[in-house]
Amino acid sequence: MTEAETITTVMRALADPTRRAVFERIANADEITVAELTRSSNVTQGAISQHVKTLKQAGLVSERPEGRNVYYRAQPAGLEPLADWMSHYGVFWRERFADLRDLLKEIDP
């Protein structure tokens, strides 16, 4: 997968508010099962499973099977392509805001 495809996959995975909430719950837990994610949500177990599957395909979540349970854990490295992309544009916008500030000082000293 190219870097652009990876960024797109991560953005799409996190674009859904429910999926983003699931990711945040996984990230805030050491490890968590789908059953535990379902217990404190208004979403069905099937829907939670689909959201976790999408997060896993995007590289944001890993799984560890143990007996009849599967434990999920956040993979911070999965966010790196998105963070790098945002960092690039952060520099771009900081420069533009500095230029705007200078222009406004010229117009109205």
Side-chain angles (χ1 to χ4, degrees), residues 10 23 26-27 30 58-62 73-83:
V10 172
F23 177 71
I26 294 170
D30 183 36
L60 297 170
V61 171
S62 64
R73 170 184 297 243
Q75 291 298 309
L79 291 170
E80 284 178 12
L82 181 59

Side-chain angles (χ1 to χ4, degrees), residues 2-109:
T2 68
E3 185 177 343
E5 291 171 332
T6 301
I7 293 167
T8 300
T9 301
V10 172
M11 284 183 167
R12 284 187 178 152
L14 295 174
D16 182 276
T18 302
R19 191 173 303 121
R20 207 168 38 250
V22 169
F23 177 71
E24 287 176 17
R25 295 245 352 262
I26 294 170
N28 288 327
D30 183 36
E31 289 184 323
I32 194 165
T33 65
V34 169
E36 292 170 314
L37 288 166
T38 304
R39 245 182 253 129
S40 59
S41 72
N42 298 337
V43 183
T44 66
Q45 184 168 343
I48 293 287
S49 293
Q50 287 300 312
H51 287 306
V52 170
K53 178 182 176 184
T54 300
L55 292 168
K56 186 177 165 211
Q57 289 172 338
L60 297 170
V61 171
S62 64
E63 66 181 18
R64 181 182 62 83
E66 184 178 294
R68 295 170 68 192
N69 293 314
V70 178
Y71 292 89
Y72 295 94
R73 170 184 297 243
Q75 291 298 309
L79 291 170
E80 284 178 12
L82 181 59
D84 291 345
W85 181 82
M86 290 172 55
S87 173
H88 169 75
Y89 284 98
V91 169
F92 171 82
W93 283 111
R94 276 191 292 281
E95 290 173 2
R96 297 307 179 271
F97 286 131
D99 291 347
L100 177 60
R101 185 174 41 254
D102 294 343
L103 178 62
L104 291 173
K105 284 180 183 177
E106 286 177 23
I107 292 172
D108 189 16

